[in-house]
Amino acid sequence: MQSIPRHCFSSAEEIESRFTEHRYICDRKLATTLFLATRLEKPMLLEGEPGVGKTEVAKVLAKILDTPLIRLQCYEGLDTNTALYEWNYPRQMLELRLQEARNIEKNRIGENIFSEAFLLKRPLLQAIQSGTTSPPVLLIDEVDRSDEEFEAFLLEVLSDFQITIPELGTIRANIRPVVILTSNNTRQLHDALKRRCLFHYIDYPDPEREQRIVLTRVPGVREELTRQICRFMQWIRTENLYKRPGIAETIDWAEALLSLGREELTADAVEATLGCILKHKQDLDQVNKLDLPLIVEQLEHDTTRPHLQ
Ligand SMILES: Nc1ncnc2c1ncn2[C@@H]1O[C@H](COP(=O)(O)OP(=O)(O)OP(=O)(O)O)[C@@H](O)[C@H]1O
Ligand SMILES: [Mg+2]
């Protein structure tokens, strides 16, 4: 099995700047984990709250490496057929009928139907087979949603990057894919899976990074409005909410305020657009009960709390 070209990144700093070029602002720790994952050829497990940029890491990495992104979206009940391969039964049946109609010798009928032409390749098999000169990025998204049996099966695939199809034999990866697993931590993953991965927890960004993200992602947004939005987001995440908003919500909110022609964050602008950042009625009720004009005013002037700088 060939390796990921080891020269693809020379340092964590390079990763940071390549990600910035692709409008993803990562911090040094994430860049270092990415660097090590590509250097040591280890899968990388990204954990974090929804909307903090886990999936985007894999998308951006595939763009930077100019390589296909193969995505396996996990869910409860995901089975190996959907993840690995399936035989294309309708096509096999059709082929059998055609062969019968062509009066092919009885003992030769169907002899070709368990060949690659009748195989439906699902993401894991695609990832194992697709690398010829450069490794694909395999994104195993939201692995915590899959069942434990599926996790055990993944473990095998990630150890060997080979699979055995009884009718065809063993298929090995030419090049080990770059594997990124994501998890929202809805359940604990097995230690055995974690042991095989480099782990990184993506936290909510600090105010400075969140501002850079918004300025990068939302063309035309003013710096002052961005600063106000990010202060508000930093504050709202400290509230005892059912679901704290992620970076995705910050970006949506900035876009919404921009579309409404708002140049600064006033309490009435917050009230009118709160649904961009809070998606549960109980959270909306809780925040609407607060004195928003006072909070907006305080956030504007309170530079004593470090997280509001
Ligand atoms: N560091 C960042 N730099 C630039 N954009 C970011 C960053 N983090 C998140 N985003 C943006 O936020 C949005 C949400 O990111 P993403 O879908 O990757 O989140 P996620 O953690 O996978 O969420 P979920 O758990 O809900 O799937 C995307 O539009 C992404 O571009
Ligand atoms: Mg995601």
Side-chain angles (χ1 to χ4, degrees):
M1 196 190 308
Q2 289 180 48
S3 301
I4 303 168
R6 283 174 183 264
H7 55 269
C8 65
F9 296 115
S10 61
S11 63
E13 288 84 342
E14 187 195 344
I15 292 193
E16 232 178 302
S17 72
R18 298 291 303 276
F19 268 69
T20 306
E21 279 165 28
H22 285 77
R23 300 165 66 226
Y24 188 97
I25 313 299
C26 63
D27 60 12
R28 181 57 54 88
K29 280 188 194 157
L30 173 59
T32 305
T33 314
L34 272 161
F35 175 68
L36 291 174
T38 50
R39 239 335 126 99
L40 305 176
E41 300 182 8
K42 279 194 164 243
M44 174 160 149
L45 171 61
L46 296 177
E47 205 173 83
E49 296 289 322
V52 291
K54 303 181 294 295
T55 302
E56 192 72 10
V57 170
K59 291 184 185 170
V60 173
L61 187 61
K63 277 193 203 143
I64 294 173
L65 295 174
D66 193 18
T67 190
L69 173 74
I70 300 171
R71 181 174 184 165
L72 175 64
Q73 180 64 49
C74 298
Y75 52 85
E76 207 182 321
L78 172 65
D79 57 10
T80 51
N81 286 347
T82 324
L84 201 52
Y85 73 90
E86 258 178 305
W87 288 109
N88 189 339
Y89 289 120
R91 243 193 109 188
Q92 286 177 319
M93 293 304 292
L94 196 67
E95 178 71 11
L96 288 177
R97 299 237 169 82
L98 283 172
Q99 289 180 1
E100 277 162 11
R102 278 195 225 116
N103 287 329
I104 286 179
E105 278 173 56
K106 270 222 163 71
N107 61 350
R108 299 205 55 197
I109 285 184
E111 67 179 11
N112 64 337
I113 61 167
F114 286 102
S115 59
E116 248 189 276
F118 297 89
L119 196 63
L120 293 171
K121 295 176 189 173
R122 303 301 188 202
L124 292 179
L125 180 55
Q126 285 170 21
I128 285 173
Q129 277 202 316
S130 87
T132 46
T133 51
S134 67
V137 172
L138 170 63
L139 166 63
I140 303 176
D141 214 7
E142 304 185 359
V143 65
D144 51 324
R145 288 176 192 260
S146 66
D147 307 315
E148 295 197 5
E149 304 84 72
F150 185 77
E151 203 185 310
F153 158 76
L154 259 185
L155 206 63
E156 258 177 68
V157 176
L158 296 181
S159 307
D160 306 334
F161 288 99
Q162 67 173 42
I163 58 143
T164 301
I165 301 178
E167 299 84 350
L168 293 181
T170 298
I171 301 176
R172 281 184 192 84
N174 285 326
I175 298 185
R176 193 180 278 261
V178 180
V179 184
I180 296 189
L181 300 105
T182 78
S183 162
N184 284 352
N185 205 12
T186 54
R187 72 167 172 83
Q188 277 289 327
L189 300 175
H190 274 273
D191 283 344
L193 183 68
K194 285 191 164 174
R195 214 178 313 123
R196 272 167 185 76
C197 302
L198 293 179
F199 177 79
H200 179 77
Y201 187 85
I202 304 192
D203 216 334
Y204 294 113
D206 60 30
E208 191 261 336
R209 194 160 69 88
E210 190 154 30
Q211 286 176 41
R212 280 183 65 204
I213 294 170
V214 173
L215 290 169
T216 310
R217 285 278 164 176
V218 186
V221 70
R222 285 178 52 232
E223 263 188 51
E224 182 56 15
L225 179 62
T226 305
R227 193 183 57 77
Q228 292 173 325
I229 290 171
C230 294
R231 275 184 165 216
F232 192 91
M233 293 303 280
Q234 299 280 327
W235 164 75
I236 210 166
R237 291 190 192 117
T238 63
E239 288 293 294
N240 187 20
L241 298 171
Y242 174 71
K243 162 74 184 76
R244 288 189 288 171
I247 300 170
E249 283 83 359
T250 316
I251 294 172
D252 285 350
W253 198 27
E255 280 170 347
L257 291 164
L258 202 62
S259 309
L260 293 171
R262 299 287 187 157
E263 304 229 317
E264 61 174 331
L265 197 68
T266 54
D268 71 307
V270 173
E271 258 160 29
T273 53
L274 212 47
C276 296
I277 52 176
L278 300 179
K279 309 294 168 82
H280 291 272
K281 184 171 178 301
Q282 71 210 65
D283 289 343
L284 283 168
D285 289 346
Q286 184 179 323
V287 173
N288 274 321
K289 263 190 226 144
L290 302 174
D291 186 347
L292 280 174
L294 184 69
I295 289 165
V296 171
E297 173 75 17
Q298 279 180 346
L299 288 175
E300 193 54 33
H301 297 111
D302 182 6
T303 51
T304 55
R305 287 191 281 171
H307 67 275
L308 298 178
Q309 292 291 313

